[in-house]
Amino acid sequence: MRQAIELNKNWIFVKHAENVTEAAAVQGEKISLPHTWNAADGQDGGNDYYRGTCWYRCMLERPQLNAGQKVYLEFDGAAMTAEVYINEEKLARHEGGYSRFRVDITEHATGKDNRLAVAVDNSDNGSIYPQKADFTFYGGLYRMVRLVIVPENHFTMNYCGGDGIKVTPKVTLAEKAGEQPSASVTVEIWAEGSAKQVAVTVAEETKRIPVQDGYARAEFILENVHLWDGVDDPYLYSAKAELEGGD
């Protein structure tokens, strides 16, 4: 089973530091997440709010892991770029302020007390979108940060910040009056570990699909499909995937 541990308290914010070593030495300001350094100067509409690189740091205790488990840092949003360090070692860089990303720290956060530092930059730039808009480009860790512990057999944590599961429906409308539409539903799985198969369930039908090179694909046909109809009838189907001996 997965376990998530929120890391929203006991952070130190450092507005000015040249590098990770200096950021670790500065006294800084005690804060909790979510946080932005533009909470005040980004409100007046003058487009004169602070844009640059600031730092967040906290002490991170390595969780107890069972054999085969991995632990990731999960960031729901860091505006606009972020660089992640454990014990002054740079592990990752993420570009894009509105997307989740994860960092595998299993082999890096090895002691009881580990120094986590995140450099976050909302500077004006020519490569990361959006580049111009009529709103404030707030900087900071403005969404949740957590540790996520996963079993050895798990849906991949590095597929576009998602859950390692992609569901694609395609509706075929009825050709004759009075007939119901049908739908095909494709479920794709990206997985890590040693699982040989995954059980995929859609609309109470379950298929067991082999996992090959970390990938599996299942297709379902739904007859007389019940369509979503806005607020009048917001009907939903669900898809579930279960990895052999894991997620």
Side-chain angles (χ1 to χ4, degrees):
M1 296 291 292
R2 291 194 177 197
Q3 180 184 0
I5 304 169
E6 289 197 348
L7 303 176
N8 299 323
K9 298 180 179 180
N10 302 317
W11 287 83
I12 301 295
F13 171 69
V14 177
K15 192 168 185 178
H16 300 287
E18 291 297 323
N19 51 51
V20 65
T21 302
E22 183 177 334
V26 174
Q27 181 176 356
E29 172 191 357
K30 293 181 179 180
I31 58 104
S32 59
L33 302 183
H35 178 270
T36 174
W37 59 77
N38 302 119
D41 64 3
Q43 299 296 316
D44 61 12
N47 200 34
D48 56 355
Y49 55 95
Y50 180 77
R51 302 186 72 172
T53 299
C54 298
W55 293 80
Y56 295 85
R57 71 173 196 257
C58 71
M59 297 303 296
L60 189 65
E61 182 176 350
R62 177 183 172 90
Q64 185 68 39
L65 300 179
N66 297 325
Q69 287 185 320
K70 290 186 175 183
V71 59
Y72 288 79
L73 278 168
E74 182 175 82
F75 296 83
D76 283 346
M80 292 294 166
T81 67
E83 294 183 343
V84 180
Y85 298 77
I86 293 287
N87 299 323
E88 282 75 62
E89 178 187 2
K90 181 180 173 180
L91 301 186
R93 175 180 171 87
H94 178 77
E95 298 183 348
Y98 306 119
S99 56
R100 172 185 289 172
F101 68 99
R102 303 182 178 106
V103 182
D104 185 352
I105 63 170
T106 309
E107 303 300 326
H108 304 276
T110 56
K112 181 179 180 181
D113 295 319
N114 300 278
R115 299 178 300 279
L116 167 61
V118 186
V120 186
D121 183 6
N122 70 333
S123 298
D124 193 6
N125 70 87
S127 60
I128 301 169
Y129 284 87
Q131 295 178 11
K132 301 295 180 183
D134 60 350
F135 54 80
T136 298
F137 286 80
Y138 292 94
L141 294 178
Y142 71 98
R143 290 181 179 166
M144 300 297 104
V145 177
R146 61 186 65 85
L147 284 176
V148 181
I149 302 170
V150 297
E152 179 180 4
N153 296 336
H154 59 274
F155 301 115
T156 184
M157 298 287 281
N158 295 322
Y159 182 72
C160 301
D163 296 320
I165 303 171
K166 180 181 177 182
V167 182
T168 306
K170 182 178 180 180
V171 174
T172 300
L173 298 178
E175 295 181 357
K176 298 180 181 179
E179 292 183 350
Q180 291 292 106
S182 62
S184 64
V185 178
T186 302
V187 181
E188 295 174 271
I189 304 294
W190 289 264
E192 296 181 19
S194 59
K196 301 299 183 183
Q197 66 176 9
V198 58
V200 182
T201 302
V202 173
E204 300 183 356
E205 180 185 2
T206 299
K207 295 184 178 183
R208 298 189 181 277
I209 308 299
V211 178
Q212 298 179 332
D213 297 324
Y215 177 78
R217 176 188 176 104
E219 296 187 3
F220 298 82
I221 299 298
L222 279 62
E223 301 292 349
N224 301 319
V225 69
H226 190 155
L227 297 181
W228 170 286
D229 187 12
V231 297
D232 292 332
D233 185 15
Y235 187 84
L236 288 173
Y237 287 89
S238 63
K240 181 172 70 172
E242 297 179 84
L243 273 177
E244 184 181 52
D247 272 346

